[in-house]
Short mmCIF file of all heavy atoms in Angstrom, two decimals:
data_model
loop_
_atom_site.label_atom_id
_atom_site.label_comp_id
_atom_site.label_asym_id
_atom_site.label_seq_id
_atom_site.Cartn_x
_atom_site.Cartn_y
_atom_site.Cartn_z
N ALA A 4 101.58 84.20 116.27
CA ALA A 4 102.41 83.99 115.08
C ALA A 4 101.95 84.90 113.95
O ALA A 4 102.76 85.47 113.22
CB ALA A 4 102.34 82.53 114.64
N MET A 5 100.63 85.03 113.84
CA MET A 5 100.09 85.94 112.82
C MET A 5 100.51 87.37 113.08
O MET A 5 100.88 88.11 112.18
CB MET A 5 98.56 85.90 112.90
CG MET A 5 97.89 85.21 111.76
SD MET A 5 96.10 85.21 112.07
CE MET A 5 95.59 86.48 110.90
N HIS A 19 106.83 103.49 107.20
CA HIS A 19 107.40 104.74 106.69
C HIS A 19 106.33 105.81 106.51
O HIS A 19 106.64 106.99 106.52
CB HIS A 19 108.21 104.53 105.41
CG HIS A 19 107.50 103.79 104.34
ND1 HIS A 19 107.38 102.41 104.35
CD2 HIS A 19 106.86 104.20 103.24
CE1 HIS A 19 106.70 102.03 103.29
NE2 HIS A 19 106.36 103.09 102.59
N PRO A 37 96.54 114.18 101.98
CA PRO A 37 96.28 114.39 103.42
C PRO A 37 97.33 113.71 104.28
O PRO A 37 97.98 112.77 103.83
CB PRO A 37 94.92 113.73 103.62
CG PRO A 37 94.86 112.68 102.55
CD PRO A 37 95.60 113.24 101.38
N HIS A 41 98.67 108.78 112.55
CA HIS A 41 99.62 107.94 113.31
C HIS A 41 98.84 106.72 113.79
O HIS A 41 98.00 106.82 114.67
CB HIS A 41 100.17 108.76 114.48
CG HIS A 41 101.32 108.11 115.17
ND1 HIS A 41 102.55 107.90 114.55
CD2 HIS A 41 101.45 107.61 116.43
CE1 HIS A 41 103.36 107.30 115.42
NE2 HIS A 41 102.73 107.11 116.54
N GLU A 48 90.11 102.52 116.59
CA GLU A 48 88.82 102.86 115.99
C GLU A 48 88.42 101.91 114.86
O GLU A 48 87.31 101.95 114.37
CB GLU A 48 88.87 104.28 115.39
CG GLU A 48 89.05 105.36 116.43
CD GLU A 48 89.46 106.68 115.78
OE1 GLU A 48 89.22 106.86 114.57
OE2 GLU A 48 90.04 107.52 116.49
N LYS A 50 88.09 98.08 113.04
CA LYS A 50 88.00 96.64 113.24
C LYS A 50 89.03 95.97 112.33
O LYS A 50 89.41 96.54 111.31
CB LYS A 50 86.61 96.13 112.86
CG LYS A 50 85.51 96.67 113.76
CD LYS A 50 84.22 95.88 113.48
CE LYS A 50 83.08 96.40 114.34
NZ LYS A 50 82.71 97.78 113.97
N GLU A 53 88.25 95.98 108.78
CA GLU A 53 88.36 97.29 108.14
C GLU A 53 89.82 97.62 107.82
O GLU A 53 90.11 98.18 106.76
CB GLU A 53 87.77 98.37 109.05
CG GLU A 53 86.26 98.26 109.16
CD GLU A 53 85.66 99.12 110.27
OE1 GLU A 53 86.39 99.50 111.22
OE2 GLU A 53 84.46 99.38 110.20
N VAL A 54 90.71 97.25 108.73
CA VAL A 54 92.14 97.47 108.46
C VAL A 54 92.55 96.64 107.24
O VAL A 54 93.25 97.11 106.34
CB VAL A 54 93.01 97.07 109.67
CG1 VAL A 54 94.49 97.21 109.33
CG2 VAL A 54 92.66 97.94 110.88
N TYR A 55 92.07 95.40 107.23
CA TYR A 55 92.33 94.52 106.09
C TYR A 55 91.85 95.19 104.80
O TYR A 55 92.58 95.26 103.81
CB TYR A 55 91.59 93.20 106.31
CG TYR A 55 91.42 92.37 105.06
CD1 TYR A 55 92.44 91.52 104.63
CD2 TYR A 55 90.24 92.44 104.33
CE1 TYR A 55 92.29 90.76 103.49
CE2 TYR A 55 90.08 91.68 103.18
CZ TYR A 55 91.10 90.85 102.76
OH TYR A 55 90.94 90.11 101.63
N HIS A 60 92.77 97.79 99.58
CA HIS A 60 92.34 98.68 98.51
C HIS A 60 93.05 100.01 98.49
O HIS A 60 92.94 100.76 97.52
CB HIS A 60 90.83 98.91 98.60
CG HIS A 60 90.05 97.65 98.43
ND1 HIS A 60 89.86 97.05 97.20
CD2 HIS A 60 89.46 96.85 99.33
CE1 HIS A 60 89.15 95.93 97.37
NE2 HIS A 60 88.91 95.79 98.66
N ARG A 63 91.29 105.43 98.59
CA ARG A 63 91.12 106.06 97.29
C ARG A 63 91.26 107.57 97.39
O ARG A 63 90.85 108.17 98.37
CB ARG A 63 89.76 105.73 96.71
CG ARG A 63 89.56 104.26 96.53
CD ARG A 63 89.53 103.89 95.05
NE ARG A 63 89.39 102.45 94.93
CZ ARG A 63 90.30 101.65 94.39
NH1 ARG A 63 91.41 102.14 93.92
NH2 ARG A 63 90.07 100.37 94.32
N PRO A 68 98.61 104.01 98.85
CA PRO A 68 98.54 103.09 97.71
C PRO A 68 97.86 101.78 98.08
O PRO A 68 97.81 101.41 99.23
CB PRO A 68 100.01 102.83 97.39
CG PRO A 68 100.72 103.00 98.69
CD PRO A 68 99.94 104.02 99.48
N PHE A 70 98.19 97.87 98.03
CA PHE A 70 99.35 96.99 97.97
C PHE A 70 99.00 95.70 97.27
O PHE A 70 97.85 95.39 97.07
CB PHE A 70 99.82 96.67 99.39
CG PHE A 70 100.34 97.86 100.09
CD1 PHE A 70 99.50 98.64 100.86
CD2 PHE A 70 101.66 98.22 99.95
CE1 PHE A 70 99.98 99.77 101.49
CE2 PHE A 70 102.15 99.33 100.58
CZ PHE A 70 101.31 100.12 101.36
N PRO A 72 100.02 92.53 98.46
CA PRO A 72 100.24 91.28 99.21
C PRO A 72 99.05 90.34 99.08
O PRO A 72 97.97 90.76 98.67
CB PRO A 72 100.40 91.74 100.66
CG PRO A 72 100.25 93.20 100.70
CD PRO A 72 99.75 93.65 99.37
N THR A 73 99.25 89.09 99.45
CA THR A 73 98.17 88.12 99.39
C THR A 73 97.19 88.38 100.55
O THR A 73 97.52 89.09 101.49
CB THR A 73 98.71 86.69 99.57
OG1 THR A 73 99.27 86.59 100.87
CG2 THR A 73 99.76 86.37 98.53
N ASP A 74 96.02 87.77 100.48
CA ASP A 74 95.04 87.93 101.54
C ASP A 74 95.58 87.50 102.89
O ASP A 74 95.36 88.16 103.89
CB ASP A 74 93.78 87.12 101.22
CG ASP A 74 92.80 87.93 100.37
OD1 ASP A 74 93.18 89.04 99.94
OD2 ASP A 74 91.69 87.46 100.16
N LEU A 77 97.71 90.15 104.22
CA LEU A 77 96.91 91.30 104.64
C LEU A 77 96.26 91.06 106.00
O LEU A 77 96.19 91.95 106.83
CB LEU A 77 95.85 91.62 103.60
CG LEU A 77 96.39 92.29 102.33
CD1 LEU A 77 95.36 92.21 101.22
CD2 LEU A 77 96.77 93.75 102.60
N ILE A 80 98.80 91.57 108.65
CA ILE A 80 99.01 92.99 108.90
C ILE A 80 97.86 93.54 109.75
O ILE A 80 98.08 94.26 110.72
CB ILE A 80 99.12 93.78 107.57
CG1 ILE A 80 100.40 93.37 106.84
CG2 ILE A 80 99.12 95.28 107.84
CD1 ILE A 80 100.46 93.86 105.40
N ALA A 82 95.96 91.92 111.80
CA ALA A 82 96.10 91.39 113.17
C ALA A 82 97.11 92.21 113.94
O ALA A 82 96.91 92.55 115.12
CB ALA A 82 96.53 89.92 113.13
N VAL A 84 98.10 95.39 113.28
CA VAL A 84 97.64 96.78 113.49
C VAL A 84 96.68 96.86 114.67
O VAL A 84 96.71 97.81 115.44
CB VAL A 84 97.00 97.34 112.19
CG1 VAL A 84 96.29 98.66 112.45
CG2 VAL A 84 98.07 97.54 111.12
N LYS A 85 95.86 95.81 114.84
CA LYS A 85 94.94 95.80 115.97
C LYS A 85 95.66 95.73 117.31
O LYS A 85 95.09 96.04 118.34
CB LYS A 85 93.95 94.64 115.85
CG LYS A 85 92.88 94.85 114.80
CD LYS A 85 92.13 96.17 114.97
CE LYS A 85 91.30 96.22 116.27
NZ LYS A 85 90.75 97.60 116.50
N GLY A 89 98.44 101.07 122.41
CA GLY A 89 98.95 100.68 123.72
C GLY A 89 100.24 99.87 123.67
O GLY A 89 100.81 99.56 124.70
N TYR A 95 107.33 96.83 120.28
CA TYR A 95 107.38 97.09 118.85
C TYR A 95 108.77 96.79 118.30
O TYR A 95 108.92 96.13 117.28
CB TYR A 95 106.99 98.54 118.57
CG TYR A 95 106.89 98.87 117.09
CD1 TYR A 95 105.84 98.35 116.33
CD2 TYR A 95 107.82 99.68 116.46
CE1 TYR A 95 105.73 98.65 114.99
CE2 TYR A 95 107.72 99.98 115.12
CZ TYR A 95 106.67 99.47 114.39
OH TYR A 95 106.57 99.75 113.04
N ALA A 96 109.78 97.27 119.03
CA ALA A 96 111.16 97.08 118.56
C ALA A 96 111.55 95.61 118.57
O ALA A 96 112.42 95.18 117.81
CB ALA A 96 112.11 97.90 119.42
N SER A 102 113.84 92.46 105.94
CA SER A 102 114.66 93.04 104.89
C SER A 102 114.17 92.54 103.53
O SER A 102 114.40 93.13 102.50
CB SER A 102 116.13 92.65 105.08
OG SER A 102 116.22 91.27 105.31
N SER A 107 104.54 92.77 96.19
CA SER A 107 104.60 92.50 94.77
C SER A 107 103.61 93.43 94.09
O SER A 107 102.46 93.54 94.51
CB SER A 107 104.29 91.04 94.46
OG SER A 107 102.90 90.84 94.43
N ARG A 110 99.86 92.89 90.87
CA ARG A 110 98.41 92.91 90.80
C ARG A 110 97.82 94.10 91.56
O ARG A 110 96.68 94.06 92.01
CB ARG A 110 97.81 91.60 91.28
CG ARG A 110 98.15 91.20 92.67
CD ARG A 110 97.64 89.81 92.93
NE ARG A 110 97.69 89.50 94.34
CZ ARG A 110 96.71 89.80 95.19
NH1 ARG A 110 95.63 90.40 94.79
NH2 ARG A 110 96.81 89.49 96.44
#
Side-chain angles (χ1 to χ4, degrees):
M5 251 178 105
H19 52 281
H41 190 66
E48 294 165 22
K50 295 191 181 66
E53 290 168 339
V54 176
Y55 163 84
H60 298 284
R63 300 250 178 244
F70 294 91
T73 64
D74 273 7
L77 286 164
I80 293 168
V84 169
K85 286 308 294 172
Y95 185 70
S102 48
S107 82
R110 58 188 193 86

